Amino acid sequence: MDRRQFVKGATASMATAALPLRAATPGGADASLRATLDRFFYARLEESPQQATRLGLDSGPRAGLKAKLDDVSAAGQAKRLARARKERAELKRFTPAGLSAESRLDLDVVTYQLDHAISGAERFTYGDSLGRFAPYILSQLTGPYRDVPDFLESQARVRDADEADAYLARLAAFPKAIDDSSERQKSDAARGVFAPDYILDTTLKQIGAVLDKRPEQSVMVTALATKLKAAGLPATHAEKAAGIVRDGVFPAMERQKALVAALRTRAVHDAGCWRLPDGEAYYAAAAEAATTVRMSGDEIHRLGLAQVAEIGARIDTILKGQGLTTGTVGQRLVVLNERPDQLYPNTDPGREQLLAELNRHLKAMQARLPESFANVPKAPIEIRRVPPTIQAGAPGGYYENASLDGSRPAIYYINLRDTFDRPKFGLATLTYHEGVPGHHLQVSVALESETIPLIRRRSFFSGYGEGWALYSEQLADEMGMYEGDPLGQVGYLQSLLFRATRLVVDSGMHARRWSREQATDYLIATTGIARGRSQGEIDRYTVWPGQACSYKIGHTMWVRLREAARKQPGFDLKEFHKVLLQGAMPLAVLERAVKQRWGIA
């Protein structure tokens, strides 16, 4: 979808019809496509043992995946690109005319993913651009050094001796993953591609936080010890793990720390990816990959400014009604954030109180879901604090889906490095976004489907998924969740304002050459969000270009489509929300499906 289609709301020219309920037993070309897509899915699992574990599919014939980590080497990247090319070639034998409407959707979505992944990886040969665009191999958000310990703690199961052995095998493979990522970063650095100085400072801090502990105190060992105890297994595996960390993991991390420190001496302070090889094109491709809308940096910037003005005016009216009349909207939001009645103590007991409040919001919304949804998640969801070992560089909140086998719940993580960053008036909105009716409902309804192919149940398009989560915040307001709570509604509108501001600062850094400081100051002045959290957000956009734009662009599309459907005879909100049963898709395909379903011209 390009900018003209998005801005004008024109019909996307894609061969996808609205979906009826999928036939239980597809035949002919449909069955052949389904078998092909299932084969793709399981082949991809073999390439991603960690994904297999996350989904609970590392058992039976794939039990050996429990002992492996993903291959993050240059050779592994080349293998994934070759696999994508092969898959794309196979799909060319299917023609839309020979498929049912449901299968045409499957073909369109998977083809879209492959086309964009292949074109990105072929044009931009640094960082990761095989789907998601992340230009730096090592940063505060990227690299096995931060991902693997968290994965072992939160995902790897240890229920018997075999799984304990598998845990140790993964831990023993960890040093190679660290070294492989270092080699890729060295190769990119030779072309001038490595993170800015302030990003490398945080990266060094996070690596140092791991190395500052004794091996037996590292999360990789303590997590295993906890799992062993829960399974009634002897502690000898934990002792072996400490030896692996001491003799293998820590030396590899020391080597990586030295590499990052050396890069830091050469690093620039420029925030944007414009400075990278083919940087302007990189940002355009990254933004399109995230939003599934083709817009230039200037177009994104202008859209953001317009939405900032509109949402800011709505907040201004409520703040004035609360007696907050002095200063800009951003300044008054800062004052509100600083009020003692809006803050939990920045202590562990204070964090526990905050988590308890989030759970109350979650429970209250879960009870209301049947009012607007005919399909609700079966998988449970837990709210957890972001592990302190990665909180310095982690986002403010994020979601991890439940496993397919039911062995692990979905998890909504919140970063509590400083409770000042999470004032009370914004907590409910964050829960509606990450939990229900946001990510947990949308992701789980697709994941639990027995009709759409496995390859699509877990597929993710940021414009669709993040747009839905932001739409869910609006839906909560429409459901009356803030009735009698004007400050809660301010929190909701501040969240919308925050996402609109992201359009401005993301395009500002990557297309208009704003500095980190200029972007941070604008974010704070516009939204009133605390400096610590604002700085973390800007640093996130530095290493993940374009992704921050997906929220508001996706939200704009979801709202536009719902309002167009609402004007049609027989509109029903629950029926509209059944579009989630079709699985995630590019915004162009979503637009087509909704318009066909509701007869919108």
Side-chain angles (χ1 to χ4, degrees), residues 190-230:
R191 302 170 60 193
V193 181
F194 52 97
D197 52 11
Y198 57 92
I199 296 298
L200 296 180
D201 286 339
T202 305
T203 306
L204 286 169
K205 179 180 178 181
Q206 292 187 164
I207 297 175
V210 178
L211 293 172
D212 283 346
K213 295 183 181 293
R214 295 195 303 271
E216 64 272 17
Q217 293 178 325
S218 71
V219 69
M220 296 162 280
V221 178
T222 59
L224 176 58
T226 300
K227 296 171 193 281
L228 292 169
K229 184 176 181 181

Side-chain angles (χ1 to χ4, degrees), residues 108-110 112-113 289-292 442 456 458-467 550 583-587:
D108 278 343
V109 171
V110 178
Y112 180 98
Q113 289 176 309
T291 64
T292 63
Q442 178 257 310
R456 292 199 52 237
R458 187 58 188 91
S459 64
F460 183 77
F461 295 91
S462 195
Y464 177 101
E466 298 298 356
S550 62
M585 59 190 83
L587 292 179

Side-chain angles (χ1 to χ4, degrees), residues 23 89 171 231 261 391 405 427 472 487 498:
L171 191 58
Q391 66 183 9
D405 66 354
L427 290 177
S472 296
L487 293 185
F498 170 44

